[in-house]
Amino acid sequence: MRLDLKHFNLALILLIGGMEFAYAEWIGNVTAQYEFNSNLSNAQPTADINSDSAFRMNLSGGKYFQLTDSTGLTMTADISGTNQIRFNGLNNISYGLSTSLRHKFGLGDSAPWVSIAGSAAYHDFENAPRDGWRYNLSLAMGKRLTDRFTLQLKYRYDEQIADRIFNILGLTLQTFEEDEPPIPIYGDAFNLSAHNISLTGIFTVTDRLTGYLSYTRREGGITSTIGYDPEILEYGDAVAVDRAFGNNRYAYKVEASTNLVSVGLSLAITGHASFNLGYDWMETTGNHNLEYNNNLAHCSLIYSFE
Amino acid sequence: MKSRYLSLMFLMSWGFTLQATELDVVVTDKEGKPILDVVVMATPTESQTKANNSQKTVVIDQIDKEFVHYVTAIATGTPVQFPNSDDIRHHVYSFSPAKQFELPLYTGTPAKPVIFEKPGVVKLGCNIHDWMVGYLYITDAPYFKTTNNEGRAQLINLPEGKYKVQLWHPRLAVLEEAPQQTVVVGDTEKATASFQLALKPELRPRRAPLSIQQGY
């Protein structure tokens, strides 16, 4: 599955890139963002909860191809840099490619549409165990229901694969048969995959102000970082040393369900630029009684060259 | 000889009676700011002046993914050409009852203009760039013009008389009656009229980027 996603994205890009289109349009955008996360470590014990702020810059550039009257293809190269204020081990640069194919069913701004999109990006962290590829594949549909209201439904599969895995010797699963040898816990705590489904409502407040409300349900692996506590770690599907949050810190992976509610406002500054404010509330419940919350606040400036 | 003299005098007096003058209309919003792209129409209330049936082709261009101009007023029966001055393709369409048409993906200028045979409002869109919106107002009024950046429209060469002056704008508040006034264009050089309009917000799809974070 991991190779399929990476190869799918690259194959699509090479295939489309090799085709000739008479009409292609250069597109691009720049995003500068500030973000605060109340629980960056995704921890449950109060002593292990770490908040932090980050500055992020994204550059994306590529081409838009109008394939038919109703179908358009977007292909971009993307570069992103994140700088954490406290936990510099999570500073990272990522570079990758994105593609998106969108089809409208009919004529006009109220015609329903569907899209399929994929991306592959390599993330290079200051904390090396997290280095690796991240992939996304999504299917979405949407429709402008009234002059003021648009609804979108999206399914997204995401996967991240670390370059290297470091096993912690002697760490074994807590539960095993007495006559069987202990089952070691492997160190692939930063290898995650998840299924996400989201429903988003976008509301036009004024000609320049747009609001959105979104609910996402995520099912998949999460990584939580805590101090050394074998009673908790031995329930993990994987455990790794995590120096991004300091010494004597361990990341463990479990399967979890996350409810995410997002709200935001976007102000059009010009036809090409916007200022955006957003707040996300996340509640995660994992196997073995893991529960934690995150509150994220973010603001961004986006300039689009379209 | 006498009959020729009398004919000449008659024609000269008729010419004085038909002295054309100017009607200057200013349109502002409730805060006093000028409103651009208001269609101003003047129709004589007493005489049966024929509508302006000029067959001169009007041009609505597409520049930087916007219709230029946003509002265009034309006489009924006018042909309109839709050149695409962008280096990408557009797909122009309209669902309006006054004229439904479609110009599928194209560059350059279409071979034939589109003729608008019925009076009314035609809302233009581009199927590729949803934020692209323009309006054509097709009128039977003999005199019409759209306001400029100063909210001003100058109608020239109007014969003396009483005129019904009406306005139209795509964002006129729904509950408001069509604004109109009766104006006398007399023997002074310029008649004036002013209007104050309430406009509703423009609710077309937004061009500026939107950030929706849904990530974990």
Side-chain angles (χ1 to χ4, degrees):
Chain A
M1 184 61 181
R2 300 168 182 177
L3 290 175
D4 285 347
L5 258 183
K6 179 178 179 178
H7 287 175
F8 169 79
N9 287 328
L10 290 176
L12 187 60
I13 290 162
L14 289 171
L15 175 66
I16 301 299
M19 295 169 69
E20 295 235 347
F21 291 94
Y23 305 104
E25 180 183 346
W26 285 104
I27 57 172
N29 62 64
V30 179
T31 303
Q33 176 168 308
Y34 165 82
E35 181 176 286
F36 171 80
N37 188 334
S38 68
N39 188 359
L40 190 62
S41 43
N42 296 334
Q44 180 176 354
T46 305
D48 295 318
I49 294 175
N50 292 294
S51 64
D52 199 5
S53 298
F55 290 98
R56 185 172 298 137
M57 193 87 176
N58 296 329
L59 299 173
S60 177
K63 277 202 167 181
Y64 174 78
F65 305 90
Q66 193 62 43
L67 304 179
T68 69
D69 286 333
S70 304
T71 308
L73 175 71
T74 303
M75 297 176 58
T76 60
D78 316 302
I79 299 175
S80 178
T82 302
N83 187 71
Q84 299 284 151
I85 302 300
R86 294 177 62 201
F87 299 102
N88 298 131
L90 295 177
N91 293 352
N92 71 90
I93 294 175
S94 72
Y95 33 91
L97 299 168
S98 300
T99 65
S100 173
L101 188 69
R102 188 172 187 264
H103 177 78
K104 276 172 78 169
F105 295 96
L107 209 56
D109 57 27
S110 296
W113 55 265
V114 294
S115 72
I116 178 169
S119 69
Y122 184 80
H123 288 249
D124 186 354
F125 285 84
E126 273 197 32
N127 176 245
R130 283 183 161 78
D131 290 353
W133 284 91
R134 297 191 177 191
Y135 309 98
N136 282 279
L137 184 64
S138 66
L139 293 169
M141 61 179 72
K143 188 182 188 314
R144 192 173 186 229
L145 298 177
T146 70
D147 281 348
R148 283 192 185 273
F149 187 68
T150 299
L151 200 61
Q152 293 180 15
L153 179 67
K154 180 195 267 191
Y155 163 79
R156 181 171 63 92
Y157 174 80
D158 63 71
E159 185 164 354
Q160 55 188 66
I161 304 164
D163 281 347
R164 291 175 294 176
I165 297 170
F166 301 94
N167 299 324
I168 299 175
L169 296 176
L171 199 64
T172 60
L173 287 178
Q174 193 170 75
T175 56
F176 52 88
E177 297 296 326
E178 280 191 12
D179 56 349
E180 295 286 334
I183 301 171
I185 300 175
Y186 290 108
D188 57 333
F190 302 115
N191 289 1
L192 303 174
S193 64
H195 301 272
N196 306 264
I197 188 154
S198 59
L199 185 66
T200 303
I202 302 169
F203 188 79
T204 301
V205 181
T206 70
D207 55 348
R208 291 175 62 202
L209 188 64
T210 304
Y212 70 84
L213 175 65
S214 179
Y215 168 75
T216 301
R217 173 79 175 187
R218 181 183 186 277
E219 299 283 347
I222 60 99
T223 301
S224 173
T225 299
I226 59 172
Y228 183 71
D229 186 339
E231 285 190 11
I232 295 177
L233 294 178
E234 284 168 358
Y235 278 116
D237 297 330
V239 178
V241 174
D242 191 1
R243 295 199 173 87
F245 289 96
N247 293 325
N248 201 36
R249 286 284 182 265
Y250 297 84
Y252 71 101
K253 177 171 74 174
V254 294
E255 292 297 300
S257 301
T258 301
N259 294 307
L260 164 64
V261 177
S262 303
V263 295
L265 286 172
S266 177
L267 179 69
I269 302 170
T270 69
H272 294 272
S274 66
F275 176 71
N276 304 270
L277 285 173
Y279 169 74
D280 305 329
W281 174 83
M282 292 199 289
E283 176 191 67
T284 300
T285 306
N287 292 344
H288 310 298
N289 300 317
L290 171 67
E291 286 184 8
Y292 64 87
N293 295 332
N294 298 71
N295 294 279
L296 278 81
H298 41 90
C299 65
S300 63
L301 274 171
I302 308 176
Y303 186 89
S304 171
F305 294 95
E306 290 184 49
Chain B
M1 182 66 176
K2 190 177 178 182
S3 63
R4 286 181 190 176
Y5 176 75
L6 286 172
S7 298
L8 183 62
M9 289 298 293
F10 177 78
L11 287 171
M12 285 174 66
S13 68
W14 191 248
F16 281 121
T17 304
L18 286 179
Q19 181 183 1
T21 55
E22 188 178 302
L23 171 60
D24 192 27
V25 177
V26 176
V27 185
T28 57
D29 61 15
K30 299 292 186 192
E31 293 164 2
K33 292 179 193 166
I35 304 178
L36 172 67
D37 288 331
V38 179
V39 179
V40 177
M41 296 158 281
T43 307
T45 58
E46 291 163 354
S47 66
Q48 293 294 319
T49 306
K50 286 184 183 175
N52 180 0
N53 285 326
S54 165
Q55 294 298 304
K56 187 179 173 186
T57 300
V58 167
V59 171
I60 296 178
D61 206 341
Q62 295 157 85
I63 301 173
D64 189 27
K65 300 171 198 168
E66 298 285 359
F67 286 108
V68 179
H69 295 278
Y70 176 56
V71 174
T72 304
I74 60 172
T76 305
T78 299
V80 178
Q81 194 58 279
F82 294 91
N84 175 3
S85 293
D86 285 335
D87 58 2
I88 51 153
R89 293 186 288 180
H90 289 295
H91 179 163
V92 179
Y93 71 90
S94 172
F95 296 136
S96 301
K99 182 76 176 186
Q100 296 181 18
F101 73 97
E102 192 181 340
L103 300 175
L105 281 179
Y106 70 100
T107 58
T109 302
K112 293 181 183 176
V114 179
I115 300 175
F116 293 83
E117 307 96 342
K118 284 192 230 173
V121 177
V122 171
K123 183 177 177 182
L124 305 169
C126 172
N127 195 43
I128 310 306
H129 310 99
D130 285 336
W131 65 81
M132 281 180 68
V133 170
Y135 289 90
L136 262 172
Y137 191 87
I138 305 113
T139 177
D140 286 331
Y143 308 97
F144 56 85
K145 198 153 190 183
T146 52
T147 56
N148 57 20
N149 283 326
E150 296 171 2
R152 187 181 300 277
Q154 291 173 312
L155 304 177
I156 60 174
N157 297 328
L158 273 65
E160 281 183 47
K162 236 187 237 183
Y163 289 83
K164 179 173 71 176
V165 179
Q166 292 173 294
L167 305 186
W168 179 84
H169 187 275
R171 288 167 48 203
L172 270 178
V174 174
L175 297 179
E176 190 170 16
E177 291 182 358
Q180 66 176 38
Q181 292 180 17
T182 301
V183 177
V184 175
V185 177
D187 55 2
T188 54
E189 272 197 21
K190 186 189 288 189
T192 60
S194 62
F195 291 81
Q196 210 173 44
L197 300 184
L199 298 182
K200 56 185 179 179
E202 184 172 36
L203 298 178
R204 57 165 142 168
R206 204 177 81 168
R207 181 174 184 172
L210 178 66
S211 168
I212 300 176
Q213 288 207 180
Q214 294 170 335
Y216 168 83

